[in-house]
Amino acid sequence: MPATDQLIRSASLNGYVALVRELKHDPYHLLRGVGLSARLLDNPETLIPSHAVRELLERTARVTGTENFALRLAARRTFSNLGPISLVLKQEPTPRQALDTLCRYLKLLSSALVTRIEDAGSTVLVREDLLPVPGGVSIRQSIELAVAVKFRILRELIGPQWRPLQVCFTHRAPVDASAHRAFFGRMPMFNQGFNGMVCTLADMQLSRVPDNTGVVRFARDYLDAALRRRHVDAQATCRELITALLPGGRCTAQQMARHLGMDRRTLHRRLSAEGHTFSALLDEVRAGLVLRHLQESDLPLGEVAGLLGFSGPSSFSHWFRSTFGTSVSGWRRQQSATDERAVPGDSWRFG
């Protein structure tokens, strides 16, 4: 799926204009710089290109010199910003069931966000990721926004004093992480193998009093109808599953078909009808993810290879050279030279 086909509700930028103004910069100039009109933010249900939102968040953080911009934006979010989904979540009897429901309707909020809930003994892992796009566009701010919003959702469901056991990010630590500690109630761990939170199973199983009003039932019917109307290509579903499954080991066409409830030949036929192959999609997702890791984290190459589903560093190195035409060290030298030639843009301050 081209980056322009990945859409997200404009509600993801709720509070953006006011926050940028507080930072003494022009939000409208920044919006125009990524091809967005301020009018698109008037209706929270308007779908806008997710790649433009990623670029906007990164550019705004850089121009304003606000490394914790995403956290400051997330702090302005309320439960109601989820729209009708917020009503349905309140109906669920436990936070865990609410998260499962959120995952069910997630694509109505963003077609680029991938959330997986995994049980791990006495803990529950809430993993967040974004589908990679060509060019290795930075997603640091977008990922921090996604994790921060999920944190606020869980705090709404569990209680105002709740905090996770761990908060993890794959990217490197900021220069000053004090705002991150204050926001999450504990210091996040950076350069980790996944983005998200580790929560106690007990917290996720806390009983809640469901809201079973007629409004909630109407909201669920509305969301289910919206899901039925939504056409999802096989290649889009495969990209999402590849992104989610790669860190757990090798991701094969057979495994993919099993997850989709079909045989391998049916998967091949459906992808072929859309002009794609599984191996090409796998390489495309890997290429986007590896650039993200190399640009934004300090993970050893052995760990990066594992997160991309390679059996070892040698197979990873061979794939990297065949994909990018150079070794990892050669790519880094090229990237360093490109960064040195880059010219910073102006900040368009107010006043």
Side-chain angles (χ1 to χ4, degrees):
M1 178 188 293
T4 51
D5 292 337
Q6 296 176 10
L7 302 174
I8 187 172
R9 291 170 70 240
S10 67
S12 63
L13 293 176
N14 181 70
Y16 173 84
V17 170
L19 176 56
V20 175
R21 280 176 167 167
E22 288 177 12
L23 296 171
K24 307 301 182 183
H25 287 262
D26 184 349
Y28 304 110
H29 173 72
L30 289 165
L31 285 164
R32 288 193 300 270
V34 298
L36 294 177
S37 166
R39 292 193 303 274
L40 295 173
L41 306 187
D42 293 341
N43 181 354
E45 299 301 324
T46 299
L47 296 176
I48 57 180
S50 62
H51 77 278
V53 174
R54 296 184 195 188
E55 185 179 351
L56 177 67
L57 294 177
E58 296 299 329
R59 182 177 297 190
T60 304
R62 183 175 64 253
V63 166
T64 62
T66 311
E67 201 171 14
N68 61 354
F69 183 81
L71 300 187
R72 297 181 66 166
L73 191 59
R76 295 168 178 259
R77 296 292 182 82
T78 64
F79 207 54
S80 62
N81 289 138
L82 293 173
I85 293 178
S86 65
L87 299 175
V88 176
L89 297 188
K90 292 179 180 180
Q91 186 185 35
E92 301 300 346
T94 68
R96 171 57 194 268
Q97 288 169 280
L99 277 187
D100 289 339
T101 297
L102 179 60
C103 289
R104 169 176 168 76
Y105 298 118
L106 190 62
K107 292 311 169 188
L108 298 178
L109 300 177
S110 169
S111 61
L113 185 61
V114 179
T115 299
R116 285 179 65 84
I117 316 300
E118 301 178 6
D119 293 316
S122 61
T123 62
V124 175
L125 276 61
V126 183
R127 296 177 178 263
E128 300 284 346
D129 214 331
L130 290 169
L131 293 177
V133 295
V137 177
S138 176
I139 63 164
R140 182 189 187 103
Q141 296 295 323
S142 295
I143 279 292
E144 291 196 358
L145 180 61
V147 174
V149 168
K150 198 68 91 271
F151 167 79
R152 286 180 63 83
I153 289 173
L154 284 172
R155 180 164 278 192
E156 179 79 20
L157 294 170
I158 299 173
Q161 303 305 315
W162 175 81
R163 63 180 184 175
L165 290 175
Q166 294 177 356
V167 178
C168 300
F169 294 108
T170 59
H171 52 255
R172 61 180 60 90
V175 175
D176 181 1
S178 58
H180 292 70
R181 179 196 291 272
F183 185 94
F184 292 107
R186 64 172 65 256
M187 180 62 74
M189 301 171 65
F190 297 91
N191 285 313
Q192 299 301 301
F194 75 102
N195 299 297
M197 295 174 289
V198 180
C199 314
T200 67
L201 179 62
D203 285 344
M204 302 298 280
Q205 292 180 334
L206 284 174
S207 296
R208 303 181 66 256
V209 179
D211 182 347
N212 293 309
T213 65
V215 174
V216 173
R217 289 191 292 274
F218 174 80
R220 189 181 290 274
D221 290 343
Y222 167 82
L223 294 170
D224 287 338
L227 278 183
R228 289 192 295 270
R229 291 193 301 269
R230 183 175 175 271
H231 173 71
V232 181
D233 295 335
Q235 55 90 15
T237 302
C238 282
R239 278 191 174 90
E240 179 180 338
L241 279 173
I242 290 170
T243 302
L245 296 177
L246 269 179
R250 291 184 56 81
C251 181
T252 66
Q254 185 66 39
Q255 291 170 325
M256 184 66 59
R258 190 182 308 117
H259 273 278
L260 295 175
M262 62 182 72
D263 59 40
R264 184 175 176 178
R265 289 183 178 179
T266 301
L267 175 63
H268 173 76
R269 187 168 58 250
R270 291 189 179 182
L271 288 176
S272 180
E274 297 175 8
H276 296 279
T277 65
F278 175 78
S279 60
L281 291 177
L282 178 61
D283 280 343
E284 183 181 314
V285 172
R286 276 174 164 164
L289 291 175
V290 74
L291 293 183
R292 185 186 301 175
H293 285 300
L294 294 180
Q295 290 172 332
E296 301 189 354
S297 80
D298 298 314
L299 288 171
L301 288 184
E303 290 188 32
V304 173
L307 291 173
L308 296 180
F310 288 99
S311 57
S314 60
S315 57
F316 165 69
S317 297
H318 176 76
W319 170 84
F320 190 94
R321 183 178 290 276
S322 66
T323 302
F324 295 98
T326 184
S327 64
V328 173
S329 57
W331 181 89
R332 282 174 165 160
R333 285 194 296 271
Q334 294 172 7
Q335 187 69 22
S336 178
T338 300
D339 291 343
E340 289 176 0
R341 290 194 299 267
V343 179
D346 64 60
S347 61
W348 280 73
R349 275 186 177 273
F350 279 139

